[in-house]
Amino acid sequence: MQPDRAAIAAGAKPHISPLGWMRIGLRAAGLLLALLVCVPLHYLWRITAYGSPFPKLFLGIAARICGARVQRHGTALRRDVVFLANHVSWIDILALAGASGTAFVAKAELQKAPVVGWLAGLNRTVYVQREARMDVADQINAVREALMDNWSVTIFPEGTTTDGQSLLPFKTSMLKMLEPPPPGVYVQPVFIDYGAMGEEIGWIGDESGVNNALRILARPGSFRVALHFLEPFAPDDHGRGGRKLIAAKARDMIQAELVRALGKPPREFAHEVAPIRYQPKPAPDDPPT
């Protein structure tokens, strides 16, 4: 990792030149224009029909405005599919949704983010609060409803973003909706590859979301994002309690593609990923701990 990139991952603010700020302004204007066109059309569509095409159109345009040049490899299932993908950047969401129209499962914190949370809601994002275990059934039902609406749902089982050179263990708790799997639904692993740009694009370490977005919007030129839609498989082939086996199979398939792309085994992820631990709320009569 280059010294300046390492400093940014450690929390330092990126240096943005005057020309970089100009690029940010132009790209922000492009995104705003795309919003002003697509959002009213989306709401008009929803008056008479379901399954609006405009979130997919907007997200695809947004990916291109941000500099991504999306390449598709393999055949993505069009409906009744759960995509399991590695995760490098917020650009992943723009690229995948623009290519397939998929909805996403995201952390509940995203729902409170200004503008971003509203936009995610337009695309039928399902928010999961992993520590709220009592709401698991409701969350599973929400994912299944999104699957019926958008025909596909994407889960990033690593639970965080990496540098494009690593692959973290898959969190099987995020696959609870597949026990038992909805009838006729398949799992399709997706390998997202930024090539040599993965380390630059990746949102890692202590870099803030705002700084990461500004840094990417300020960069010159474009970058390649290859979406490799791998061989789908039926989750019910793995029997009862199969989410661990489903996660293992999908991860093995993605890792094989990552090894092929890198030409070597993935490296250990250099940044600590804090585990998410459930802390139950004390009962009203419980003494403080």
Side-chain angles (χ1 to χ4, degrees):
M1 183 179 291
Q2 297 296 321
D4 56 342
R5 183 67 185 91
I8 290 170
K13 290 185 177 180
H15 171 72
I16 299 176
S17 67
L19 190 57
W21 283 109
M22 185 179 298
R23 294 189 194 99
I24 291 173
L26 290 172
R27 284 171 169 154
L31 292 170
L32 179 59
L33 179 60
L35 265 180
L36 292 175
V37 172
C38 292
V39 169
L41 292 174
H42 168 74
Y43 283 119
L44 286 172
W45 182 282
R46 292 300 289 257
I47 292 174
T48 59
Y50 214 49
S52 167
F54 292 103
K56 175 182 177 181
L57 177 63
F58 168 73
L59 292 167
I61 292 172
R64 191 165 187 85
I65 290 173
C66 293
R69 299 297 179 262
V70 180
Q71 300 175 355
R72 293 179 53 167
H73 302 274
T75 302
L77 295 184
R78 292 180 56 85
R79 62 182 303 161
D80 298 329
V81 59
V82 176
F83 296 123
L84 301 183
N86 62 307
H87 201 10
V88 179
S89 166
W90 51 272
I91 295 289
D92 302 350
I93 296 171
L94 306 182
L96 260 176
S100 68
T102 182
F104 292 88
V105 175
K107 296 178 182 178
E109 293 83 356
L110 179 65
Q111 189 174 15
K112 301 176 183 179
V115 182
V116 175
W118 170 67
L119 287 173
L122 292 181
N123 197 49
R124 198 66 166 81
T125 297
V126 178
Y127 300 104
V128 176
Q129 192 167 352
R130 291 177 216 162
E131 66 272 19
R133 292 187 177 178
M134 298 302 292
D135 297 331
V136 167
D138 290 339
Q139 293 173 0
I140 291 172
N141 288 335
V143 172
R144 292 184 175 181
E145 289 173 7
L147 193 59
M148 290 186 290
D149 187 3
N150 287 62
W151 295 353
S152 62
V153 171
T154 295
I155 298 173
F156 297 112
E158 290 171 288
T160 189
T161 48
T162 66
D163 53 11
Q165 312 284 320
S166 311
L167 188 65
L168 295 172
F170 281 9
K171 300 179 184 298
T172 60
S173 60
M174 302 184 72
L175 307 183
K176 184 67 176 177
M177 63 163 291
L178 297 174
E179 287 185 341
V185 168
Y186 277 74
V187 170
Q188 185 166 25
V190 183
F191 170 51
I192 303 175
D193 181 24
Y194 290 80
M197 295 302 301
E199 198 162 59
E200 179 182 342
I201 299 299
W203 181 11
I204 57 176
D206 295 323
E207 182 179 21
S208 71
V210 171
N211 285 342
N212 180 270
L214 290 175
R215 184 169 59 80
I216 291 177
L217 293 176
R219 68 180 307 281
S222 60
F223 52 91
R224 177 185 65 87
V225 184
L227 305 178
H228 297 264
F229 293 93
L230 308 181
E231 188 69 24
F233 59 90
D236 52 8
D237 289 346
H238 295 75
R240 293 177 58 85
R243 57 183 161 138
K244 292 184 178 180
L245 295 177
I246 292 168
K249 180 171 182 176
R251 189 180 185 278
D252 286 346
M253 293 171 69
I254 292 172
Q255 179 166 281
E257 288 297 310
L258 179 59
V259 169
R260 181 194 58 77
L262 295 175
K264 59 182 179 182
R267 69 188 181 194
E268 292 291 324
F269 192 49
H271 302 273
E272 181 179 355
V273 180
I276 298 175
R277 294 188 175 92
Y278 171 65
Q279 295 292 339
K281 293 181 181 180
D285 297 333
D286 286 350
T289 56

